[in-house]
Amino acid sequence: NALEGFNFAQNTSAELVTLADMLLHADHKEIRFELCNVLSALSDSGSFEGMRTTAAVLADLNAYSTTAVDELDYEKRINAYLKLQSMDWSLFDTVSRKIYLHQCMYDLSTVDDFSVKQASSETVKRSISTLANREDTIELIYSLLKYKLCHKDDSVRSECVQLLSHLFSVFPQCFTDMLVLRDDKDPEQDFFKNVVHVQVHRRVRAIVKLRNITTADGLSARALVDLCLPLVFGFLCNVKVSSGGTASNLVDECVNALRCICTRV
């Protein structure tokens, strides 16, 4: 039974929040199907009629092919993301936004298909652009992205850095301590662009800038702990180093940056 274990007697959104949290971590296809079924059953029960659209979109975002075994239904998934990208996220209720964002972050960090990853990333970016000033969701997006900065997959780290940069630019009043790392006038001096650049020497430049700003006491404890430490550890744990070369330089600079950060936190 899709509703087993859920208590709706109080008719609150607590169960929906639990469901949304599970969407962020549930790996097995069957579990995600069941979560979709729970939301659909809830929306049909009369308790949460406003969730019908959310339930339908979520089902499409987790759709599998009916003709190929264990293959994603790419058409349904991409179309569902395109639908989300065209909508004004400031009109969604808090729980729907959380459900969608958790699904996006799951796809971005877990699904192998490039088109689905890009669609999920673009959806998060569009959500940021249309959020207005919803502080609860701004903080949610920030939390979701910062926890992926030390992900083993370089492409996931890169997407999250770019999305964080976009978040900081749209809501500078919420992230004044992060703005010292941005440079809208000169992209080659922008930390966020350099630290995920395909050229390793640009990444080295970004880490050197980070170390210099940290040495000058120009970054807050939040910026150091939430942003800088996971990025540095992400490189240290995942960069493949041969003898010498720019990759080796990157690791050396990360060690120097880590030493500097640890003296400030």
Side-chain angles (χ1 to χ4, degrees):
N1 186 339
L3 298 176
E4 185 178 355
F6 285 80
N7 176 18
F8 309 115
Q10 301 300 319
N11 194 25
T12 68
S13 62
E15 293 80 13
L16 293 178
V17 173
T18 300
L19 185 149
D21 290 340
M22 294 176 70
L23 284 169
L24 185 61
H25 304 291
D27 282 330
H28 296 291
K29 177 177 70 173
E30 292 77 12
I31 296 176
R32 301 191 74 83
F33 273 155
E34 198 65 15
L35 291 173
C36 292
N37 290 337
V38 167
L39 187 58
S40 179
L42 280 174
S43 64
D44 290 338
S45 69
S47 299
F48 299 95
E49 291 184 10
M51 301 299 294
R52 285 180 178 171
T53 299
T54 304
V57 173
L58 183 65
D60 284 349
L61 290 173
N62 288 276
Y64 276 78
S65 172
T66 57
T67 58
V69 178
D70 288 335
E71 184 173 305
L72 307 184
D73 189 328
Y74 298 104
E75 183 176 359
K76 275 191 176 181
R77 293 192 180 213
I78 297 301
N79 286 339
Y81 272 125
L82 290 174
K83 181 176 181 179
L84 279 179
Q85 291 168 22
S86 68
M87 300 171 77
D88 184 350
W89 281 55
S90 65
L91 301 178
F92 294 161
D93 61 86
T94 302
V95 176
S96 290
R97 287 198 297 270
K98 190 170 188 178
I99 286 173
Y100 290 143
L101 287 169
H102 280 192
Q103 176 68 42
C104 287
M105 290 307 300
Y106 175 82
D107 282 346
L108 176 59
S109 60
T110 306
V111 174
D112 291 331
D113 183 74
F114 178 77
S115 62
V116 174
K117 278 182 179 287
Q118 285 299 300
S120 63
S121 177
E122 182 62 25
T123 301
V124 175
K125 185 175 182 180
R126 295 287 183 89
S127 75
I128 293 170
S129 300
T130 63
L131 267 178
N133 204 16
R134 305 272 182 169
E135 292 187 7
D136 57 337
T137 307
I138 294 170
E139 185 61 32
L140 172 62
I141 294 174
Y142 175 67
S143 297
L144 290 171
L145 292 172
K146 74 178 183 180
Y147 285 125
K148 298 296 183 182
L149 290 179
C150 54
H151 196 280
K152 63 181 180 180
D153 188 330
D154 184 66
S155 66
V156 174
R157 295 199 305 272
S158 296
E159 288 294 333
C160 290
V161 167
Q162 294 176 64
L163 288 170
L164 278 170
S165 179
H166 183 61
L167 182 68
F168 299 157
S169 69
V170 174
F171 301 103
Q173 71 279 10
C174 298
F175 301 101
T176 55
D177 52 336
M178 306 290 186
L179 300 183
V180 65
L181 295 169
R182 289 180 52 81
D183 194 328
D184 294 327
K185 296 180 179 179
D186 186 358
E188 292 200 0
Q189 298 302 317
D190 186 289
F191 170 81
F192 296 101
K193 287 184 172 61
N194 280 324
V195 80
V196 296
H197 201 279
V198 65
Q199 296 178 323
V200 178
H201 74 87
R202 294 280 292 272
R203 297 188 179 198
V204 173
R205 181 190 304 174
I207 298 300
V208 170
K209 178 175 182 175
L210 172 63
R211 175 169 54 82
N212 291 337
I213 295 176
T214 304
T215 301
D217 218 12
L219 286 170
S220 68
R222 178 175 74 158
L224 291 173
V225 172
D226 289 358
L227 186 70
C228 303
L229 275 178
L231 274 175
V232 169
F233 273 118
F235 285 133
L236 288 175
C237 296
N238 297 292
V239 169
K240 296 179 180 179
V241 180
S242 56
S243 57
T246 51
S248 178
N249 293 339
L250 177 60
V251 171
D252 290 341
E253 287 302 333
C254 283
V255 171
N256 292 333
L258 181 59
R259 183 185 302 114
C260 185
I261 292 169
C262 288
T263 64
R264 295 294 190 276
V265 296

